[in-house]
Amino acid sequence: MLAFRSRLDKAHTALVYLLVVLAGSVRGGRRLGLALAASAFLLFNWFFLPPYGTFAIRDPLDWLVLVAFLIASAVAAEMLHREQRRAEEARRRAQEVDRLATLGAEALNVARADDALAAISRVIRDTLRLAECRIHVPPTGEADSELRDPLVAWAVRSGQAVLRHADGTTGLAPGGMPFELSLEGPTSVSAVLIPLRVRDRTVGVLELADERGIVLDPGQRRFLAALAYYAALGVERTRLSAEADRAAVLREADRLKDALIASLSHDLRTPLTTIKALAHDLRSSGDPRAETIEDEADRLNRLVADLLDLSRLQAGTVPLQLELNAADDLIGALVQRVSGALNGRELRVRIEEGESLLIGRFDLAQSLRVLVNLVENAHKYSPPGPPIELRAWREDASLTIAVSDRGPGVSQDERDRIFEPFYRPPGQTPDVGGAGLGLAIARRLAEAQCGSLTYESRAGGGSTFTFRLPAADVPEAELL
Ligand code: ADP
């Protein structure tokens, strides 16, 4: 540029120098860029600002040019440097993500869930060059007591990361997670326990252990955070697959049980009929034990019938004749059926018909069975004396029938359980009642007819069982 200095403008010089500074920064980094900027500043002054060959400046405005040049080139060098650093960081991250994605896919792509956990811990151990990496999984969600290491159990319970030092002391990882923890330079941390969390639930613990002291740089911590999540997903997958296996086994057991009950109930009935017939013959010959045999055979027969019904109801194969029926007919049949069993006790019936007949769409025989069971229970489980009350009314879209007694009622925590098959509250006299199937069958029968059967305690003491069936609106003329 010296050769044609007389024809050069200050702007030309400044721009050429700026180019040199930028080229230097790109190739040699920030330091070279700044050094070039400083040298260019001096050279510009010495060679290209009059008086030439001195650092003096004739026109004070030239200072402005020089200082502006210096600032512009320094800023350009710095910005270039930052951009380059960012690009480098982005490249590194992209590589990390690529590596993680491959690792994750490989680790989770094994056929068995347990193998996935082993693969993940191997990858973590090898990548971080640690002596050991283990994944602890509590046998079931809550049973952390089964984890032998109390520190691991604590990490599961609290969901916080824990550090174990070489001298045996333990401490919490600051911030609760080791990923924010700086484990740089030689450390005394011999184990890190990281809770594995999926959707705010701790599903296991990842343990990193190395007696030489664990050191993790930021890149390794990021890697660990990502792989810990894979490990958590792996644990969750193991749990879900175990649950699916258990469910399949239960389903199979349930199916077997239903098949067994159905075939047993069938096969028991034939010999029972024979026993009963023989007992009947014996009775006519005057043997006093015949009556007991007959009664017990009847009882067994009822139990077998109930079992068969329950299994049919569970399988959804009970034939139902859903027809229009009047509450009057149902309750009339009920009164007839139970009058013998009540031993003279009063069954007080109130049918609130209002203007029109109370009609519903239901199976008469099966609904009668539900009501007989409710009335017999009311009789069995309440002291003799007060009448059993039955009230029928229309409630929105339901034909509702409530059977109430003044017995002891059912305690709060047993109100749902009494509807379970075979459930009888503890401490109940064994000879009162049957096998605990009556209400289970009654509720299923109600539900099979799109109705319901519920329990409420009765004001003033006692129980009310409410049986609801779908009501129907039919002009009286159509019924006649
Ligand atoms: P079971 O009468 O054969 O025991 P249920 O299924 O009919 O079987 O009844 C289950 C249990 O519910 C009974 O054992 C009894 O404890 C309780 N229970 C039923 N009805 C009444 C009632 N009206 N009052 C108090 N307890 C009742």
Side-chain angles (χ1 to χ4, degrees):
M1 290 200 313
L2 275 178
F4 36 94
R5 179 163 71 184
S6 53
R7 286 164 46 210
L8 280 182
D9 185 50
K10 282 165 219 154
H12 300 136
T13 321
L15 282 175
V16 171
Y17 273 130
L18 198 58
L19 276 181
V20 175
V21 171
L22 288 178
S25 306
V26 169
R27 303 279 317 205
R30 176 168 49 174
R31 259 201 221 155
L32 181 66
L34 291 178
L36 282 174
S39 334
F41 171 82
L42 295 174
L43 292 173
F44 194 173
N45 187 345
W46 185 269
F47 290 111
F48 297 101
L49 289 179
Y52 300 130
T54 69
F55 286 119
I57 278 184
R58 193 183 303 144
D59 183 351
L61 276 182
D62 284 350
W63 278 113
L64 190 67
V65 176
L66 264 186
V67 170
F69 167 76
L70 186 65
I71 294 175
S73 49
V75 167
E78 176 66 30
M79 274 170 42
L80 210 63
H81 167 72
R82 284 196 194 166
E83 265 327 299
Q84 273 178 330
R85 219 178 43 191
R86 242 178 250 151
E88 178 57 28
E89 177 80 354
R91 214 170 16 250
R92 259 211 339 263
R93 288 266 173 105
Q95 279 170 352
E96 245 169 48
V97 168
D98 269 0
R99 216 171 56 224
L100 277 176
T102 325
L103 285 178
E106 271 171 20
L108 290 178
N109 198 19
V110 289
R112 277 167 29 105
D114 288 345
D115 294 344
L117 291 187
I120 292 171
S121 47
R122 208 170 38 244
V123 165
I124 297 180
R125 191 191 58 213
D126 295 347
T127 314
L128 301 182
R129 286 188 211 92
L130 295 168
E132 276 182 75
C133 172
R134 268 193 301 259
I135 295 174
H136 302 272
V137 183
T140 55
E142 307 296 316
D144 48 29
S145 56
E146 306 218 5
L147 288 167
R148 249 180 278 132
D149 186 339
L151 202 60
V152 174
W154 190 86
V156 170
R157 237 186 351 259
S158 66
Q160 297 213 51
V162 191
L163 303 179
R164 202 195 318 256
H165 295 276
D167 58 9
T169 57
T170 54
L172 276 184
M177 287 316 259
F179 316 126
E180 296 147 19
L181 169 74
S182 120
L183 281 176
E184 284 169 52
T187 67
S188 67
V189 175
S190 63
V192 183
L193 301 180
I194 303 165
L196 300 175
R197 296 176 69 80
V198 180
R199 289 185 291 275
D200 293 334
R201 226 164 45 81
T202 306
V203 293
V205 168
L206 177 73
E207 178 181 7
L208 308 177
D210 201 320
E211 289 306 323
R212 292 166 299 172
I214 297 175
V215 174
L216 297 174
D217 66 29
Q220 288 175 318
R221 290 204 299 273
R222 264 200 311 276
F223 167 81
L224 186 59
L227 270 219
Y229 188 60
Y230 280 134
L233 290 180
V235 172
E236 186 69 351
R237 182 182 154 197
T238 317
R239 192 181 65 82
L240 290 178
S241 82
E243 226 161 65
D245 288 350
R246 226 181 6 253
V249 170
L250 281 180
R251 252 196 322 275
E252 181 57 19
D254 217 38
R255 205 184 56 76
L256 275 179
K257 187 203 70 192
D258 285 349
L260 191 75
I261 289 183
S263 81
L264 256 186
S265 331
H266 263 125
D267 296 348
L268 279 176
R269 280 188 141 177
T270 328
L272 274 175
T273 319
T274 319
I275 292 172
K276 215 178 144 198
L278 290 176
H280 193 73
D281 286 352
L282 273 180
R283 185 139 59 150
S284 43
S285 67
D287 191 324
R289 291 168 298 180
E291 194 179 339
T292 318
I293 298 179
E294 237 182 310
D295 286 352
E296 292 300 312
D298 277 343
R299 217 166 95 137
L300 213 51
N301 215 352
R302 273 198 305 275
L303 178 61
V304 169
D306 280 354
L307 273 177
L308 189 60
D309 285 342
L310 189 68
S311 75
R312 277 198 196 130
L313 276 166
Q314 264 162 349
T317 55
V318 172
L320 288 172
Q321 290 190 333
L322 299 181
E323 296 169 333
L324 288 182
N325 284 298
D328 254 350
D329 296 340
L330 176 63
I331 294 166
L334 170 74
V335 173
Q336 258 190 4
R337 176 77 72 85
V338 295
S339 57
L342 291 184
N343 291 333
R345 183 176 193 164
E346 185 190 353
L347 174 64
R348 194 173 289 165
V349 174
R350 186 150 55 105
I351 303 178
E352 295 169 9
E353 292 211 293
E355 311 258 288
S356 61
L357 273 177
L358 257 182
I359 299 165
R361 183 173 291 279
F362 55 87
D363 181 311
L364 191 66
Q366 302 293 14
S367 303
L368 177 62
R369 211 171 141 196
V370 174
L371 285 180
V372 168
N373 186 269
L374 296 181
V375 172
E376 282 181 356
N377 273 354
H379 178 57
K380 268 189 308 197
Y381 297 109
S382 64
I388 296 164
E389 288 168 44
L390 185 145
R391 183 165 84 94
W393 73 102
R394 167 82 183 249
E395 183 189 61
D396 303 327
S398 297
L399 162 56
T400 308
I401 304 173
V403 178
S404 311
D405 61 54
R406 288 279 173 214
V410 177
S411 70
Q412 187 72 40
D413 42 338
E414 273 167 348
R415 291 188 184 167
D416 277 329
R417 301 206 62 193
I418 54 170
F419 292 99
E420 290 171 12
F422 303 108
Y423 184 78
R424 308 193 69 219
Q428 193 159 279
T429 335
D431 3 324
V432 179
L437 287 174
L439 287 178
I441 292 177
R443 177 173 266 186
R444 283 171 174 75
L445 275 177
E447 286 168 358
Q449 301 179 73
C450 305
S452 66
L453 177 62
T454 52
Y455 171 89
E456 290 103 46
S457 64
R458 192 178 177 196
S463 315
T464 297
F465 285 86
T466 310
F467 177 33
R468 289 189 176 81
L469 287 166
D473 296 299
V474 183
E476 255 170 75
E478 277 187 34
L479 279 175
L480 296 175

